Amino acid sequence: MKKKRQSASLFRRILPLTASTSWRWRKSGAEVYGYDKNNDAAEQRATIEQADVSITIPFRAIADTGTVLELADERCGKIVSLLPPAHISVIFQSRLKATLTDVAPEIDAMGESDALPTYFLFISGPSSTGDIESVMVTGVHGPTREYYIVVEDL
């Protein structure tokens, strides 16, 4: 049986969001959590599964397809943007590229320097599938709602 979500829970995995922002969220009654790879994995997964929304800062965003590129490494896990029913990507302008071709050299450079992350995730909106009896279903492999916010660099 699926556990009931707490309506004010919020999962946040990225540190550049300031302490004052966290304070404002908490003041509004939200529970704010940060990802830490050193925490117990099962406890962290349970917290993420109960979150109503996750907020991440992607490695890059691709304008022509509306895609964000998330990387999983020692700073962030791959399930943060996948388990909650809603996901918000906060995109710094300097991370916004016109096409995937503009991002490819950076990925190649990671491979050449043995700095490839363990996981690449390209998000171009809510997941959906028509595999089950040709019925379109949204949110099977990720959130049902995706939001992108482009901001000036800090």
Side-chain angles (χ1 to χ4, degrees), residues 8-26:
S9 65
L10 176 71
F11 193 87
R12 183 187 68 149
R13 78 164 194 201
I14 286 296
L15 298 177
L17 297 174
T18 66
S20 64
T21 303
S22 295
W23 177 81
R24 282 187 213 125
W25 283 335
R26 285 189 180 98

Side-chain angles (χ1 to χ4, degrees), residues 67-82:
T67 302
V68 294
L69 172 56
E70 302 264 342
L71 307 180
D73 57 20
E74 70 280 349
R75 292 170 292 160
C76 62
K78 55 189 170 186
I79 61 173
V80 175
S81 58
L82 294 175

Side-chain angles (χ1 to χ4, degrees), residues 2 7-8 12 18 34 37-40 46 63 76 84 87 90-92 102 115 120 126 140 146 150-151:
K2 192 171 181 175
S7 62
R12 183 187 68 149
T18 66
K37 73 172 186 117
N38 296 317
N39 287 348
D40 179 71
C76 62
H87 173 243
V90 178
I91 304 163
F92 290 113
D102 297 326
F120 287 92
V140 175
E146 288 283 344
V150 179
V151 298

Side-chain angles (χ1 to χ4, degrees), residues 42-74:
E43 284 181 29
Q44 233 170 195
R45 181 181 180 94
T47 299
I48 297 168
E49 286 175 343
Q50 292 303 306
D52 294 312
V53 62
S54 64
I55 301 172
T56 62
I57 296 176
F59 170 71
R60 293 290 176 266
I62 303 164
D64 76 340
T65 59
T67 302
V68 294
L69 172 56
E70 302 264 342
L71 307 180
D73 57 20
E74 70 280 349

